Amino acid sequence: MAIDPVCKMEVSPETAEHRSAFRGETFYFCARGCKERFDADPDAFLIPDKPESPDRAPDSSEPSAKELALKLDLPISGMSCASCVSKVQNTLAAVPGVEEASVNFATEKATVRYDAGRADPSKLAGAVGDAGYKVLTQKTTLPIQGMHCASCVTKVEDSLRAVPGVLSASVNFGTEQATVEYIPQATGMADFKQAVSSAGDYAILETEAAGRVDAQREIQHKEFAALRRRFFVSAVLSSLILIGSFGRLIPGLDRIDGQIMGMILFALTLPVYLWAGRPFHRGFWIALKHGTADMNTLVSVGTSAAFLYSALATFWPSLFETGGTGGAAVYYDTAAVIITLILLGRLLEARAKGRTGEAIRRLMGLRPDTARVRRGGAEVEVAVDAVVTGDVVVIRPGERIPVDGVVADGRSSVDESMLSGESLPVEKNPGDEVVGGTINRTGSFAFEATRVGADTTLARIIRIVQEAQGSKAPIQRLADRIAGVFVPVVIAVAALTFAVWLAAGPAPALTNALLNFIAVLIIACPCALGLATPTAIMVGTGRGAQNGVLIKGGESLETAHRITAVVFDKTGTLTHGTPEVTDVLSVGDAEESEILRLAAGAEAGSEHPLGEAIVRRAAEQGLGIPASEDFQAVPGKGIRARIGGRDVLLGNRALMQEASVPLEDLEVRAQEMAAEGKTPMFVAAEGRALGMVAVADTVKPDAGEVVARLKRMGLKVYMITGDNRRTARAVAGRIGVDEVLAEVLPEDKAAKIKQLQQSGETVAMVGDGINDAPALAQADVGIAIGSGTDVAVETSDIALISDSLHGVLFAIRLSRKTVRTIRQNLFWAFFYNTVGIPIAAGALFPFFGILLQPVYAAAAMAASSVSVVTNSLRLRRARI
């Protein structure tokens, strides 16, 4: 034996997974990824003076504390100064088991030596998080093969969570995937594989992330084909078995000797039991070796009891004869038909589950395989994965855009509906951004690639949807906990049923006891329970993605249905975020175009947003913007300039009073516009008022409608802004918002959200996801408004790809429908088992003489799973 120098486990050299040489000495490693850690930094581990040779027994003396110490580098984010370094270092040093902690501010890493028996990476990361900082982690999605029911989910999930360095693990039965968050310096794929395989007959599908969905789909197709073969063979043989079992009712067959017919039925049932039922028996055996139980246990034990009982009655009938000429009845049909019906249920279930992941496949199908780029003075066609940042990509009418970029030359209209849900094409001009996966409609253009590969908007959307579909809603965790203890309880109930019927049941007692025992086992399979939540979440998040609503996880999807108050940020959310000219008024013989031209000439050199709005409007109207001389900015008042030989003033009332310019009726109109949330600016030339230009951040056209519909849904609607109360109330009045939180600094928005939560509200915050990040994080549900390529997903729970506020309505209604579907699924899953198990146990027999035959129990079990998945699939077409 040898000792693994990392984890100190005993390793047999003959069966060692890896070995490595260091300083002329050979070390042996287990399969837990220890070799990779040792190779990365062998000096971090104590090298014994006299290493054990493969032929020597390990030293029996206890290893010292230093020998048990492991070294780990943790990447830390959030540190901004030396005091942060001290805080993180002291926090880590205080964790029980940590022997030494050192934090480097330049590299943003913490180096920790700790006792593996008392501390682990998860505890270290938790301590850093409690101190207000964050250990940088990775999240990966692992396709899992071999899961059959909700109890499988629990086993795989628990095994992954037990891996040192894993912070969280969530297994989704519907997608057959595990989402794992982990510290990459502490663990990796080798550990995950060992953990999953040690939990039972499970395995991680090995493939590159880019092709994982396709590879998993291919495996699912193969498994579906194999399942279909087993079902059809089993169905044909079961039909013959049923005919033989009721042969006494068929002329000709009734003359065959009973024992000979039993042998014929045995021969027909044997391939059904051994080959068609092999997945159940294999799963049961593996679960038994691991000391656990799952749905395979229930099916295998039930069908084995029927088959073995029948075989004994066929070949040794005297064991069951009670006198007279008759022998015991046989139940080959029960064993065969149960296997056939459960295979049918799995077949229908697999087919339906495949449809729940259709959203991901449709999104992945949006990316073309090739792109046309300019290289070496020519246009060449390359694989889309070969496109690099900076490449100029050429797009023709009708082609799909391969990657994200900025239009360099040409103009067109682009259909972005598959990503944003908006039906109208969007005009694209030089300088505009285009998104990979969208379709060019009319013109040709060339654009410079800015995001390629995994950085494109489409890739990010797919990643978000995959993580959301792999996540759990809080309501699902209850179902998983129940499923974890469900199978053992069912086995106990079945055993009790058998004992009661055998001891107190009517004749034939053994036969009735056996049939009720089998019926309880079969009807209790927890498949429906395991599928109830994940299938609904998969369909719900997929439906959202297809409509430009990215929901980051099941928890966000569930929480959104409880929202009682929606808080909108004003600038950039309810309004466009950029000022626009709203009014141009003239007095006397002055023309509006001349007023706008003079105002634009005065503001031509200004970088102020209001000035830029005036210049932009003049350019849009084709007005020649005149040059200005003697430009002078008057702080807090406006601008003086000489344009075309005239002294021009542009500014507020104070500037006009200073220059003794009479305003007359303009002042009244200015007050009216200010009350509407606009900023009026007077224009005067040669001491005479010519008119006024009003500028405002205009309200989005759909804001009023969305606010009204939210209020009709029973939600309170708030607007939060840093603007003064007068302007804020003017904007709120135009869109129908009753509650206004004005003059709130950006850093105080989160505190306002917290106050609403403390008053009992469940709050959704809707903002741009950048300036509103603290408030989005504080809210129960943060909804970030995106702008096509700038999807703010880090601090939000839900991201809207487009600027349309209708996405807020869609997200809340989708959440309500999805949660309603989940509740329906769970109700029927629980109701089915709650009612079905007592009936299968014979609860109705004393009153009505009714017993549930095992074949009917199998049919009911299959129907329950299919009904749950079908109910979830209704979300795909539901009106939202």
Side-chain angles (χ1 to χ4, degrees):
M1 298 295 288
I3 295 291
D4 186 317
V6 180
C7 68
K8 308 301 178 186
M9 289 177 58
E10 291 186 356
V11 183
S12 169
E14 292 78 15
T15 59
E17 188 78 9
H18 304 287
R19 63 190 66 200
S20 191
F22 183 66
R23 295 179 184 171
E25 297 157 357
T26 301
F27 298 91
Y28 295 86
F29 298 88
C30 68
R32 292 171 53 83
C34 295
K35 179 180 185 297
E36 288 82 353
R37 293 204 288 256
F38 182 85
D39 287 346
D41 189 3
D43 285 315
F45 305 99
L46 182 66
I47 307 301
D49 292 334
K50 294 182 179 180
E52 298 167 329
S53 68
D55 300 325
R56 285 182 52 186
D59 188 358
S60 60
S61 61
E62 288 294 325
S64 66
K66 274 195 173 183
E67 288 177 317
L68 288 174
L70 298 183
K71 177 185 172 183
L72 178 64
D73 288 331
L74 297 174
I76 309 292
S77 69
M79 296 189 298
S80 57
C81 61
S83 61
C84 297
V85 171
S86 176
K87 185 177 180 181
V88 173
Q89 194 163 285
N90 293 336
T91 298
L92 287 169
V95 175
V98 171
E99 297 178 0
E100 183 183 350
S102 174
V103 179
N104 187 314
F105 183 43
T107 62
E108 296 185 304
K109 281 187 178 180
T111 302
V112 186
R113 285 186 182 274
Y114 63 96
D115 181 348
R118 300 173 58 204
D120 60 54
S122 301
K123 291 181 181 177
L124 302 178
V128 172
D130 292 342
Y133 306 92
K134 185 179 180 182
V135 173
L136 295 178
T137 60
Q138 286 186 6
K139 189 176 281 190
T140 186
T141 302
L142 307 174
I144 307 294
Q145 292 177 266
M147 295 191 299
H148 302 295
C149 66
S151 58
C152 296
V153 170
T154 304
K155 286 191 286 186
V156 175
E157 206 168 69
D158 290 344
S159 67
L160 285 170
R161 285 177 181 159
V163 174
V166 170
L167 303 184
S168 66
S170 175
V171 177
N172 188 307
F173 183 41
T175 60
E176 297 178 310
Q177 290 180 338
T179 301
V180 182
E181 185 180 7
Y182 65 100
I183 302 171
Q185 288 77 6
T187 188
M189 186 59 68
D191 294 336
F192 302 154
K193 289 178 184 174
Q194 185 189 23
V196 169
S197 62
S198 67
D201 189 23
Y202 312 112
I204 293 175
L205 170 63
E206 292 190 64
T207 182
E208 293 297 321
R212 184 171 290 160
V213 171
D214 289 337
Q216 188 177 12
R217 191 181 184 190
E218 184 179 344
I219 285 181
Q220 288 173 341
H221 279 315
K222 289 180 179 177
E223 290 179 346
F224 182 82
L227 195 59
R228 186 169 51 193
R229 281 195 303 273
R230 290 182 189 276
F231 166 71
F232 281 126
V233 171
S234 182
V236 170
L237 292 175
S238 295
S239 299
L240 296 175
I241 292 165
L242 282 172
I243 292 171
S245 298
F246 295 95
R248 64 185 180 277
L249 304 177
I250 301 174
L253 290 181
D254 57 344
R255 292 194 295 270
I256 298 176
D257 179 75
Q259 190 169 10
I260 293 175
M261 178 57 78
M263 291 178 181
I264 294 172
L265 293 176
F266 173 83
L268 291 171
T269 308
L270 193 61
V272 177
Y273 174 73
L274 293 180
W275 179 74
R278 183 176 180 274
F280 308 119
H281 306 317
R282 186 169 182 268
F284 162 56
W285 176 245
I286 291 171
L288 187 64
K289 286 197 297 184
H290 287 86
T292 58
D294 57 20
M295 75 155 284
N296 291 310
T297 304
L298 304 180
V299 176
S300 181
V301 171
T303 56
S304 295
F307 178 75
L308 295 176
Y309 171 86
S310 301
L312 288 173
T314 298
F315 294 100
W316 294 277
S318 59
L319 294 175
F320 301 96
E321 290 177 357
T322 57
T325 59
V330 292
Y331 295 95
Y332 292 116
D333 56 328
T334 298
V337 173
I338 283 174
I339 289 173
T340 302
L341 287 173
I342 293 177
L343 286 174
L344 174 61
R346 279 199 178 178
L347 195 68
L348 296 174
E349 180 185 302
R351 185 177 179 182
K353 278 166 62 178
R355 292 162 63 196
T356 61
E358 188 176 311
I360 285 285
R361 290 191 289 275
R362 287 181 62 184
L363 286 171
M364 297 194 80
L366 296 179
R367 192 184 80 154
D369 296 325
T370 60
R372 192 179 299 104
V373 300
R374 291 175 182 168
R375 289 182 182 170
E379 292 182 8
V380 295
E381 192 168 284
V382 300
V384 72
D385 292 329
V387 178
V388 298
T389 302
D391 271 342
V392 175
V393 184
V394 179
I395 300 294
R396 295 171 182 169
E399 291 184 338
R400 202 175 284 277
I401 298 170
V403 296
D404 296 359
V406 176
V407 177
D409 58 74
R411 288 174 169 78
S412 184
S413 61
V414 176
D415 181 357
E416 298 183 340
S417 60
M418 290 303 293
L419 290 176
S420 66
E422 300 290 334
S423 58
L424 294 177
V426 181
E427 294 297 320
K428 298 294 181 182
N429 299 298
D432 291 340
E433 292 183 328
V434 290
V435 185
T438 56
I439 301 174
N440 180 34
R441 284 300 182 200
T442 54
S444 298
F445 65 92
F447 70 92
E448 181 182 343
T450 56
R451 295 189 184 98
V452 299
D455 295 328
T456 64
T457 298
L458 181 60
R460 292 164 64 198
I461 289 171
I462 291 170
R463 191 161 57 246
I464 292 166
V465 177
Q466 284 177 326
E467 290 178 0
Q469 293 189 343
S471 66
K472 286 186 190 295
I475 196 171
Q476 185 181 348
R477 297 191 185 110
L478 171 64
D480 287 350
R481 284 198 298 270
I482 293 172
V485 298
F486 188 74
V487 174
V489 169
V490 168
I491 293 174
V493 171
L496 180 63
T497 300
F498 181 84
V500 170
W501 276 90
L502 187 62
L510 178 60
T511 298
N512 288 331
L514 180 67
L515 292 178
N516 289 315
F517 169 77
I518 295 170
V520 170
L521 290 177
I522 298 304
I523 203 168
C525 287
C527 293
L529 198 60
L531 291 167
T533 303
T535 52
I537 288 176
M538 286 174 67
V539 179
T541 51
R543 176 79 186 273
Q546 290 171 348
N547 287 272
V549 178
L550 303 184
I551 301 167
K552 291 182 67 176
E555 187 163 355
S556 305
L557 187 63
E558 181 180 337
T559 304
H561 91 281
R562 295 189 284 107
I563 290 170
T564 59
V566 181
V567 179
F568 286 96
D569 177 55
K570 180 181 82 70
T571 307
T573 302
L574 291 173
T575 66
H576 286 103
T578 54
E580 296 180 8
V581 174
T582 58
D583 302 273
V584 179
L585 299 180
S586 63
V587 293
D589 58 355
E591 295 184 0
E592 292 181 2
S593 60
E594 178 66 9
I595 293 169
L596 185 59
R597 194 178 73 87
L598 290 175
E603 291 281 12
S606 172
E607 294 182 355
H608 193 282
L610 300 183
E612 290 178 347
I614 293 174
V615 173
R616 188 167 57 249
R617 174 57 64 86
E620 288 172 355
Q621 294 187 2
L623 303 177
I625 300 176
S628 64
E629 302 172 352
D630 301 330
F631 176 87
Q632 179 188 0
V634 183
K637 296 180 181 179
I639 293 171
R640 296 176 185 270
R642 189 164 182 79
I643 301 175
R646 293 193 291 176
D647 290 325
V648 176
L649 298 176
L650 173 67
N652 58 19
R653 179 172 175 271
L655 180 65
M656 298 299 137
Q657 286 180 333
E658 186 179 279
S660 300
V661 175
L663 296 176
E664 300 176 354
D665 294 340
L666 281 177
E667 191 166 1
V668 176
R669 290 291 293 120
Q671 291 174 354
E672 293 174 354
M673 289 186 180
E676 296 172 2
K678 302 174 182 177
T679 301
M681 290 178 281
F682 301 103
V683 180
E686 299 296 327
R688 182 173 73 90
L690 301 179
M692 181 174 61
V693 177
V695 178
D697 182 6
T698 56
V699 173
K700 290 182 178 177
D702 57 354
E705 179 190 354
V706 169
V707 168
R709 291 170 74 175
L710 287 171
K711 290 164 75 172
R712 286 200 296 270
M713 290 167 64
L715 302 175
K716 299 177 183 176
V717 181
Y718 295 78
M719 185 183 80
I720 191 166
T721 179
D723 286 349
N724 62 67
R725 295 186 184 280
R726 182 176 179 181
T727 302
R729 290 202 174 277
V731 173
R734 290 208 300 275
I735 58 179
V737 175
D738 300 323
E739 305 287 342
V740 179
L741 306 173
E743 299 176 6
V744 181
L745 297 175
E747 58 268 28
D748 295 332
K749 288 182 179 179
K752 290 290 185 182
I753 298 295
K754 193 171 184 178
Q755 288 176 10
L756 289 174
Q757 290 170 325
Q758 290 171 342
S759 68
E761 304 287 357
T762 301
V763 181
M765 170 69 192
V766 186
D768 63 14
I770 300 169
N771 299 325
D772 303 313
L776 287 169
Q778 174 63 45
D780 297 286
V781 177
I783 303 177
I785 298 286
S787 57
T789 58
D790 186 21
V791 183
V793 298
E794 294 302 321
T795 54
S796 64
D797 301 299
I798 298 173
L800 309 182
I801 297 176
S802 74
D803 284 331
S804 172
L805 293 174
H806 279 98
V808 177
L809 285 170
F810 186 89
I812 296 173
R813 287 204 292 257
L814 177 64
S815 170
R816 290 182 174 183
K817 277 212 182 280
T818 304
V819 171
R820 191 179 305 128
T821 300
I822 290 172
R823 286 176 173 166
Q824 290 169 354
N825 289 348
L826 288 174
F827 169 79
W828 287 112
F830 280 116
F831 177 81
Y832 160 79
N833 281 307
T834 302
V835 174
I837 291 175
I839 293 175
L844 298 180
F845 185 79
F847 307 102
F848 307 103
I850 296 174
L851 286 177
L852 183 66
Q853 292 296 317
V855 290
Y856 298 136
M861 188 275 289
S864 69
S865 296
V866 174
S867 65
V868 161
V869 179
T870 304
N871 190 45
S872 296
L873 287 172
R874 289 192 309 115
L875 281 170
R876 294 167 63 203
R877 311 239 184 271
R879 188 175 176 184
I880 295 176

